[in-house]
């Protein structure tokens, strides 16, 4: 989840690369997060894994920003809480989706958020997107259709549709952050802490409902060393590390540069799925990958 800040002063090329490398590493670990989640999660442990993942993170954020957290107003808490519920929905859709599709598909389909968000903003503002952007959107959507076809033109699987829903939910989250006035001036660390806390409460409430899968403690008891390593990777690197790097980077470079580097996430997701997960795309899937990457890059430039 990215944060917005005033543009930082221009850096010398060498210093700019020193700021870029940690952000690029965030894109790499985010790309690997789909394979990691797929490796430790089953349809019966999705909610339990989400509770464990964020329960490891939220206390650290609370301790790191307790003084600023206490300064939030009631309106800011309500706004951040609403965003937290949407964020929880995003993680539910993503995690259930990645269980039922490949890590490659998940990472590339979620990248459509970069196309959906400007389209949604145009609809809200009642302005027409540019022809270049519409062309980029068409290329990306065609690429996703090719990516999800496997051996032939069949309906996308349930996992692909869930990841598509997560991309739409990410778009909603971005729009709400821009339209809820109370949160726009809130401290970013406090805002993130409340959002993740709200998501954890949602996951915990769902875990308490009979029939929603394994209890968190039961899932944790069944974890071996590899599963714990995957959970720590998701909690420490894909959440804590990623958030703090973004906060650090936007003060040393620019939000646009950070966004551009994080936009390489689908490439790393595909690389992890193929190189580590043993996933196979075939000619049709490879063409889809290239079209998604080209379309999202083109769309980012056209929207900028």
């Amino acid at each position: 989840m990215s944060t917005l800040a005033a543009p930082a002063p221009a850096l010398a090329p060498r210093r700019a690369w020193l700021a870029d490398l940690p952000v690029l590493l965030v894109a790499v670990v985010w790309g690997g997060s789909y394979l990691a989640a797929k490796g430790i999660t089953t349809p019966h442990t999705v909610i339990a894994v989400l509770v464990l993942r964020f329960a490891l993170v939220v206390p650290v954020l609370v301790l790191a920003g307790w003084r600023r957290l206490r300064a939030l107003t009631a309106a800011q808490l309500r706004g951040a809480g609403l965003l937290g519920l949407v964020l929880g929905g995003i993680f539910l859709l993503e995690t259930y989706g990645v269980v039922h599709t490949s890590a490659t598909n998940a990472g590339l389909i979620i990248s459509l958020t970069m196309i959906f968000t400007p389209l949604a903003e145009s609809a809200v503002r009642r302005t027409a997107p540019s022809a270049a952007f519409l062309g980029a959107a068409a290329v990306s959507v065609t690429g996703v259709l090719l990516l999800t076809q496997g051996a032939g033109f069949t309906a996308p699987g349930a996992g692909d549709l869930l990841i598509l829903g997560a991309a739409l939910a990410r778009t909603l989250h971005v729009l709400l952050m821009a339209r809820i006035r109370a949160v726009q001036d809130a401290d970013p660390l406090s805002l993130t802490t409340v959002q993740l806390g709200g998501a954890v409460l949602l996951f915990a409430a769902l875990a308490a409902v009979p029939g929603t899968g394994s209890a968190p403690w039961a899932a944790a008891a069944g974890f071996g060393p590899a599963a714990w390593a995957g959970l720590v990777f998701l909690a420490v690197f894909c959440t804590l590390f990623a958030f703090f790097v973004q906060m650090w980077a936007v003060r040393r470079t620019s939000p646009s540069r950070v966004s551009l580097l994080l936009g390489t996430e689908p490439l790393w997701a595909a690389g992890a799925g193929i190189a580590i997960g043993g996933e196979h795309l075939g000619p049709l899937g490879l063409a889809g990958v290239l079209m998604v990457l080209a379309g999202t890059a083109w769309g980012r430039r056209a929207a900028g």
Side-chain angles (χ1 to χ4, degrees):
M1 180 175 53
S2 61
T3 55
L4 298 177
L11 297 178
R14 185 163 182 256
R15 291 186 62 194
W17 271 109
L18 291 177
D20 287 347
L21 286 175
V23 179
L24 189 61
L25 185 56
V26 169
V28 173
V29 298
W30 275 357
S33 68
Y34 300 99
L35 189 62
K38 190 173 182 67
I40 68 172
T41 312
T42 70
H44 298 290
T45 62
V46 167
I47 295 174
V49 167
L50 287 172
V51 171
L52 293 170
R53 174 180 174 178
F54 291 101
L56 292 175
V57 170
V58 172
V60 178
L61 293 177
V62 170
L63 290 173
W66 176 245
R67 187 172 298 175
R68 285 172 288 176
L69 191 62
R70 292 179 62 187
L72 290 178
T73 66
Q76 288 172 334
L77 286 170
R78 287 193 298 270
L82 174 61
L83 290 170
L85 293 178
V86 177
L87 188 65
I90 293 169
F91 279 107
L92 285 168
L93 288 167
E94 282 186 356
T95 311
Y96 274 115
V98 80
V99 168
H100 296 289
T101 190
S102 68
T104 301
N105 278 25
L108 288 158
I109 293 172
I110 203 69
S111 71
L112 289 178
T113 303
M114 289 182 281
I115 298 294
F116 293 156
T117 301
L119 285 175
E121 286 178 336
S122 294
V124 169
R125 296 174 181 172
R126 299 183 180 180
T127 59
S130 68
F133 183 81
L134 291 176
V139 170
S140 296
V141 171
T142 302
V144 167
L145 290 175
L146 291 176
L147 175 69
T148 58
Q149 297 317 304
F153 286 95
T154 60
D160 298 319
L161 294 176
L162 287 169
I163 297 294
L164 186 63
L168 292 170
R170 280 194 183 191
T171 298
L172 174 62
H173 187 264
V174 172
L175 293 179
L176 287 175
M177 286 194 70
R179 295 180 71 84
I180 299 176
R181 293 184 180 179
V183 304
Q184 292 175 9
D185 296 326
D187 171 62
L189 175 59
S190 301
L191 179 62
T192 299
T193 302
V194 175
Q195 286 189 76
L196 293 181
V200 168
L201 291 177
L202 173 63
F203 303 147
L206 290 174
V209 176
T212 55
S214 303
W217 54 86
F223 280 179
W228 276 110
L231 183 65
V232 170
F233 173 76
L234 290 171
V236 175
F237 291 97
C238 299
T239 308
L240 274 179
F241 169 76
F243 170 73
F244 283 113
V245 165
Q246 287 181 85
M247 289 288 294
W248 172 83
V250 293
R251 286 163 173 78
R252 287 161 177 80
T253 175
S254 70
S256 298
R257 195 174 180 96
V258 171
S259 177
L260 182 64
L261 291 166
L262 293 179
T264 64
E265 175 190 347
L267 181 62
W268 303 111
I274 295 168
I276 303 174
E279 297 175 357
H280 301 283
L281 291 177
L284 199 63
L286 182 58
V289 168
L290 296 175
M291 291 185 74
V292 170
L293 294 175
T296 51
W298 182 17
R300 190 184 301 113
R301 288 196 300 270

